[in-house]
Amino acid sequence: MTIDVAKVRNETPGCARVAHLNNAGAALPPRPVMDAVTRHLELEAMTGGYEAAEENAEALDRFYDAVAGLIGAHGDEIAYVENATRAWDLAFYGIRFAPGERVLTTTTEYSSNAIAYRQRGVQVDVVPDDADGTIDLDALEAELRKGGVRLVSLNHVPTSNGLINPAAEVGRLCRAAGVLFLLDACQSVGQIPLDVDEIGCDLMSATGRKFLRGPRGTGFLYARREVLADLEPPMLDNAAADWHAPDRYEMRPDAKRFETWERYMAGQIGLGVAADYASALGMDAIAARIDVLATRLRSGLAAKPGVTVHDRGVLRSGTVTFTVDGRPPAEIVREARARGVNVNVAQPVTHGYDPDAVDAVVRASVHYYNDEDEVDRLLELI
Ligand SMILES: *Cc1c(COP(=O)(O)O)cnc(C)c1O
């Protein structure tokens, strides 16, 4: 299967207006996602919110199998959450740490996750990078052997670098050590084929708006059946747990224990449609197309005098980070946008554990619906 670029561009109204190379920030949604969201909002306005939910019960429910299907999970292992940060938090704050238990993470850990470690006061050990700039698997194995590790928290594809971390290799080491594995798949879901069994993660958090092309304000948490019983979300509402009045409650047995009753229904429907849309195109075809465009952009940039590409890793994502001598990244972003090309600035603060973190960089991130002309427009502009 390959991507029919003309067809997917046709189904993406934004393509007619802008060269959108900020997919790591928020991708342009396709028409079916927009339609599903707006139709539900209209139904809510015209018939009432509860009545609309009842009428669209099937589409709301489809969300679970659609997302599960995309990542090789079961529907009862999926929770709808409003964004990736909260999804990650619900998992992390749901882990009962014994005194002295450690967390292992990577140099490219997302800043919000680092704040959560500090807030809970757990000990964090940052596993160094290997020579290629991804997590050093030997160093990880050595840390696991030292013992006392409760959780390995891995960034699959970081926010501000084009590298891809070897998630499945990390998963194998975690399984062998009997340690919980939480994968931040925020940048990889919708971009790279993911299978939770192949990767061996127990928990996975993701957002809707990035490579999945879903609505903003949506995300999900995957929690493996086997670990669910050990995780108590830090907050529970009356849909996540049953209240046996007056002094007992019982959590739901499935991943819905991480949800709240009230939510952005139109967003949940839209995210389900986005997951089905990605599955229908095929994740292998999506990843292959992204690789073609990212390689074109990276090599085009690298060939220009005064341009430095900062991406590391052996395997690379659709995110291309670079700087231009003597030109502040914010200025490049501003000028590109004025010419109809969307790119973004990535701040070093998001990679606070990284001793080699560079100052701000320009982040251009391609998706399968971009075309070669759009990539070349950015190259010419630079
Ligand atoms: C964007 C991002 C997040 C946060 O996602 P939100 O949906 O904004 O909460 C977490 N981790 C990584 C790696 C990200 O790129």
Side-chain angles (χ1 to χ4, degrees), residues 236-277:
L236 292 165
D237 79 356
N238 54 11
D242 284 328
W243 182 30
H244 301 295
D247 53 11
R248 256 181 10 92
Y249 67 87
E250 194 179 345
M251 282 187 284
R252 286 187 63 112
D254 58 13
K256 288 195 175 85
R257 68 173 55 177
F258 295 102
E259 296 185 341
T260 49
W261 184 84
E262 175 57 2
R263 69 189 71 178
Y264 176 25
M265 299 284 177
Q268 176 173 332
I269 293 172
L271 185 51
V273 171
D276 276 333
Y277 191 85

Side-chain angles (χ1 to χ4, degrees), residues 24-25 82-88 108-113 154-160 184-188 205-210 216-219 350-351 363:
E82 70 250 43
N83 57 57
T85 302
R86 276 297 170 269
W88 189 96
T108 53
E109 180 62 303
Y110 193 67
S111 47
S112 301
N113 304 353
L154 181 77
N155 205 307
H156 198 186
V157 171
T159 298
S160 317
D184 177 345
C186 207
Q187 294 285 354
S188 54
S205 55
T207 204
R209 72 177 187 278
K210 294 178 180 173
R216 290 202 68 172
T218 67
T350 52
H351 287 184
R363 181 182 70 178

Side-chain angles (χ1 to χ4, degrees), residues 289-363:
R289 169 82 188 147
I290 289 174
D291 190 51
V292 166
L293 293 172
T295 302
R296 184 186 185 96
L297 179 55
R298 230 174 247 127
S299 54
L301 286 169
K304 288 184 184 292
V307 175
T308 310
V309 175
H310 295 281
D311 301 328
R312 296 181 294 188
V314 180
L315 296 173
R316 302 270 174 87
S317 74
T319 292
V320 180
T321 57
F322 64 96
T323 47
V324 182
D325 290 350
R327 301 295 300 271
E331 187 181 304
I332 293 171
V333 170
R334 210 166 39 241
E335 292 191 9
R337 205 168 292 171
R339 290 166 175 78
V341 180
N342 288 347
V343 292
N344 198 25
V345 181
Q347 301 291 349
V349 62
T350 52
H351 287 184
Y353 288 147
D354 183 359
D356 303 321
V358 277
D359 281 344
V361 293
V362 183
R363 181 182 70 178

Side-chain angles (χ1 to χ4, degrees), residues 32 38-39 43 54 90 99 209 230 233 237 248 252-253 350 376:
T38 52
R39 266 201 309 266
L43 194 62
E54 224 168 85
L90 285 165
R209 72 177 187 278
D230 285 336
D237 79 356
R248 256 181 10 92
R252 286 187 63 112
T350 52
D376 294 349

Side-chain angles (χ1 to χ4, degrees), residues 1 12 37 40 44 61 64 80-81 89 98 119 125 147 159 168 222 232 240 274 278 280 301 312 322 328 335 356 360:
M1 243 187 344
T12 307
V37 173
H40 189 78
E44 285 183 340
D61 206 42
Y64 299 96
Y80 173 79
V81 186
D89 287 340
Q119 189 185 31
D125 291 311
T159 298
Y222 155 79
E232 170 142 8
L301 286 169
R312 296 181 294 188
F322 64 96
E335 292 191 9
D356 303 321

